[in-house]
Amino acid sequence: MQKIPFNKPALSISQQIAQLESRGMIIADKALAEKALRNLNYYRLSGYWMHFEDCRDPHHFKPGTAFEEVLSLYEFEKSLRQLCFEGISRLEVSFRTQWAHQMGMKYGSHSYLQPEYCNDFSDWLDNMKKIQSEFGRSKEPFINHYKTKYAESFPPVWVVCEILSFGTLSCWYMNLANVQSKNPNCPGSAKDEMANFYGADSSVLESWMHSLSVLRNHCAHQSRVILKALPIQPMRPKSAKVSISSLWQSNSSLHNLILILVYLNDRIEPHSMWRTELLEFLSNNSQKAVEFLGFPTGWQSKLYWKV
């Protein structure tokens, strides 16, 4: 396809409003539209109003489309991202703790420096480079304390875990080998112990953590998570005994990610306020949950989703 020069001029707020109206959008409250466009960016909102465009003519909206509907959809997704981010943040802290504890107890304080505990040497090397970079630039008081006091080049696993991003941590877990512990007081493998803690098979937990780290980045950077295909599809639980297996939706990664997030947070703290807030939000927006998140019709009747 031959590329063409970009020659579209920047539009003033009033011109943006006029353009939307010329394409068939109803804007009854001009002041509301002006405030929204000054703070949310025309191009950002376009990702939401594309849902209301006429499929036969993408430059025109379906009859009756109102600007308030677009804002309502934006606010719905914004609240969803905030709730998901909070749930992932809670999980991230727990996952760091589990990784550090199991690695330290089973293999030793600096076991992450030893590639024999990993499946792939090149992946281990990549992950070590990330640690080296984070450790070198960190200004955290506990890192400065370690650099000042101890001779070793890198801190123990329970310190280094606190400077790892969720994405890097998920990569460490994915590359972690099923090596049996030589500590008689703490037998088994770190990878399996972590999987058992979260009630999932280790290969499934790998997939879940990778998927959630991608969702976390979308939420942290205010990227849209609805009305588009997410790049990572989480793996369905292998065992039918896992409570969420029967609720899995093969055509909706976002529904499944929310399902996983609730499941994993329940392993950390059952009946938490976060769970209540998320389920109340979904219940209050039940139709949007079906239309935009891939929840099945009648999802509220399932005991798992009861507030």
Side-chain angles (χ1 to χ4, degrees), residues 107-127:
Y107 308 134
S109 62
H110 289 73
S111 51
Y112 69 95
L113 298 175
Q114 300 168 264
E116 57 262 38
Y117 294 114
C118 293
N119 288 314
D120 187 279
F121 178 80
S122 61
D123 286 347
W124 171 82
L125 196 59
D126 286 342
N127 290 330

Side-chain angles (χ1 to χ4, degrees), residues 68-120:
E68 285 80 1
E69 290 181 273
V70 177
L71 280 186
S72 175
L73 183 56
Y74 171 82
E75 292 296 337
F76 164 76
E77 199 244 11
K78 175 185 173 184
S79 296
L80 176 70
R81 277 190 279 110
Q82 290 171 341
L83 284 164
C84 285
F85 187 77
E86 182 182 347
I88 294 171
S89 297
R90 292 157 53 88
L91 176 61
E92 180 181 346
V93 172
S94 170
F95 197 59
R96 284 179 179 179
T97 303
Q98 284 299 311
W99 182 72
H101 178 71
Q102 296 300 337
M103 289 288 288
M105 290 295 295
K106 294 188 186 320
Y107 308 134
S109 62
H110 289 73
S111 51
Y112 69 95
L113 298 175
Q114 300 168 264
E116 57 262 38
Y117 294 114
C118 293
N119 288 314
D120 187 279

Side-chain angles (χ1 to χ4, degrees), residues 2-61:
Q2 186 176 1
K3 295 182 179 180
I4 61 174
F6 185 88
N7 58 8
K8 296 180 181 180
L11 301 178
S12 67
I13 300 300
S14 60
Q15 287 173 323
Q16 292 174 22
I17 292 173
Q19 179 161 279
L20 290 173
E21 288 183 315
S22 72
R23 294 177 176 178
M25 184 177 288
I26 300 169
I27 304 181
D29 189 337
K30 296 292 194 300
L32 175 67
E34 181 175 335
K35 179 181 178 181
L37 290 167
R38 286 194 184 281
N39 290 285
L40 301 178
N41 186 9
Y42 184 100
Y43 196 74
R44 168 177 283 271
L45 286 177
S46 71
Y48 299 89
W49 66 54
M50 71 169 72
H51 175 72
F52 302 95
E53 290 175 348
D54 190 327
C55 60
R56 297 164 299 179
D57 184 0
H59 289 296
H60 283 82
F61 297 102

Side-chain angles (χ1 to χ4, degrees), residues 145-183:
H145 169 76
Y146 183 86
K147 290 176 180 178
T148 302
K149 186 171 183 178
Y150 296 101
E152 284 80 5
S153 299
F154 291 99
V157 66
W158 52 84
V159 174
V160 83
C161 74
E162 293 297 333
I163 59 172
L164 298 185
S165 70
F166 190 30
T168 300
L169 196 58
S170 73
C171 289
W172 272 101
Y173 183 75
M174 190 175 295
N175 196 34
L176 188 61
N178 262 316
V179 179
Q180 296 300 306
S181 170
K182 295 180 181 179
N183 181 354

